[in-house]
Amino acid sequence: MNDIDVASSDIAIQSRHLTVTYGERPVLWNIDIAIPRKGITGIIGPNGAGKSTLIKAMLGIVPIASGTVAMCDRNGRTLSGDAIGYVPQRSTVDWDFPTSVFDVVMMGTYGKLRWFQRPGKSERVATQRALEFVEMQDFATRQISELSGGQQQRVFLARAFVQKPSIYLMDEPFAGVDTKTERSLLEIFRKLRDDGSTVVMVHHDLLRAHDYFDHVILLNRRLIAQGPTKRTLTESNVETCYGVSHHMLTTSVDVDRDFHTAAV
């Protein structure tokens, strides 16, 4: 990868020589990436490739063994936690926790409150607007356990949106939702991009990647390729990433299901 100045107005996230280990086992090795601002970037690779770990390393959720990650505004200033919205995997959330949709979304405002300050009118208004943005305002009083998978994803997207971040990091936001919901979520992501946000997400469906992403990162513990989707998602790069010959670029395939054994 060419060396790119993280202070550049074109780059939102950059890692240099990023290595993450679990115990003595490397999960990510010497990763150099540069994610452009104001776009939708997909992180793609087989199971065990370190896709979710890369997102968590960006957020500081997992420790970095070596290297650096920087997330900056257009002037090269390091972004605070409030400027970064995180949508975790749905499977990692306790959906049986007794709380309402409105309260979950309002949790996204807590980071901007002072110690012991309770949410007030402005936080409630912001929460309502976030719910309207994802078309979940009619479910505000529902318990989160009563929601469908797609509705749950919208709630967590609203919780991120209420923070008004400039960067969204999403771990498999389309997992477990039907095609109609997936398309609807994609329209929301495109609105965020068109409003100037940077959207980064872990994804597994290579066929849809051409339609969904402006840029892609192909990952299998090491960086395989990155760049504009059309230029990067080639048969050669995909075969290098998955380690097998296949027809992924012309046939819809769930790569995490059919190629999980390809992870190094």
Side-chain angles (χ1 to χ4, degrees):
M1 183 191 78
N2 293 330
D3 223 24
I4 301 175
D5 185 359
V6 75
S8 166
S9 62
D10 295 331
I11 301 301
I13 306 172
Q14 187 172 55
S15 72
R16 295 181 184 273
H17 313 303
L18 174 66
T19 296
V20 177
T21 62
Y22 291 160
E24 297 182 354
R25 181 173 63 90
V27 180
L28 294 174
W29 183 259
N30 200 32
I31 304 294
D32 288 350
I33 59 171
I35 296 177
R37 193 176 308 282
K38 298 181 181 179
I40 303 177
T41 296
I43 302 174
I44 300 173
N47 271 1
K51 304 185 296 296
S52 295
T53 299
L54 179 58
I55 291 282
K56 291 175 181 177
M58 292 176 184
L59 291 163
I61 295 175
V62 298
I64 295 172
S66 62
T68 60
V69 178
M71 290 188 278
C72 297
D73 64 19
R74 66 185 61 197
N75 296 314
R77 295 172 298 201
T78 301
L79 292 172
S80 67
D82 290 341
I84 302 162
Y86 175 46
V87 179
Q89 285 189 21
R90 210 162 43 85
S91 61
T92 65
V93 177
D94 180 8
W95 294 106
D96 292 324
F97 188 79
T99 188
S100 71
V101 166
F102 192 91
D103 287 342
V104 169
V105 176
M106 193 161 59
M107 289 176 188
T109 68
Y110 291 179
K112 295 181 180 180
L113 298 177
R114 296 187 299 273
W115 283 102
F116 303 112
Q117 181 183 3
R118 297 178 64 85
K121 180 179 179 180
S122 63
E123 285 75 32
R124 290 192 292 273
V125 170
T127 298
Q128 181 64 27
R129 289 176 177 170
L131 286 168
E132 291 171 358
F133 180 73
V134 301
E135 299 179 351
M136 285 293 292
Q137 65 272 18
D138 293 340
F139 297 83
T141 60
R142 292 274 190 94
Q143 294 290 300
I144 57 173
S145 60
E146 299 173 359
L147 303 179
S148 68
Q151 290 167 342
Q152 290 171 347
Q153 291 289 42
R154 287 173 182 265
V155 169
F156 265 69
L157 180 57
R159 189 184 68 166
F161 177 76
V162 79
Q163 300 172 223
K164 297 297 182 183
S166 59
I167 296 175
Y168 291 81
L169 300 177
M170 306 184 188
D171 197 350
E172 292 277 11
F174 298 133
V177 303
D178 58 33
T179 300
K180 181 180 179 181
T181 300
E182 186 169 323
R183 290 288 183 179
S184 180
L185 289 172
L186 180 63
E187 288 305 311
I188 294 174
F189 302 154
R190 286 172 174 166
K191 288 179 183 177
L192 294 173
R193 175 198 61 191
D194 295 344
D195 287 341
S197 297
T198 302
V199 179
V200 183
M201 70 179 75
V202 172
H203 190 59
H204 66 265
D205 190 332
L206 281 170
L207 181 66
R208 293 189 176 101
H210 281 287
D211 295 328
Y212 286 10
F213 303 121
D214 305 307
H215 301 82
V216 294
I217 295 170
L218 280 173
L219 187 71
N220 194 344
R221 302 201 180 186
R222 298 176 183 269
L223 177 66
I224 305 302
Q226 67 177 323
T229 303
K230 185 175 181 179
R231 188 181 72 199
T232 306
L233 203 61
T234 63
E235 186 75 19
S236 175
N237 283 339
V238 171
E239 288 185 8
T240 299
C241 186
Y242 290 89
V244 291
S245 179
H246 53 77
H247 53 280
M248 288 184 188
L249 300 183
T250 57
T251 304
S252 180
V253 175
D254 184 328
V255 297
D256 279 349
R257 180 195 67 206
D258 291 355
F259 292 91
H260 65 277
T261 56
V264 175

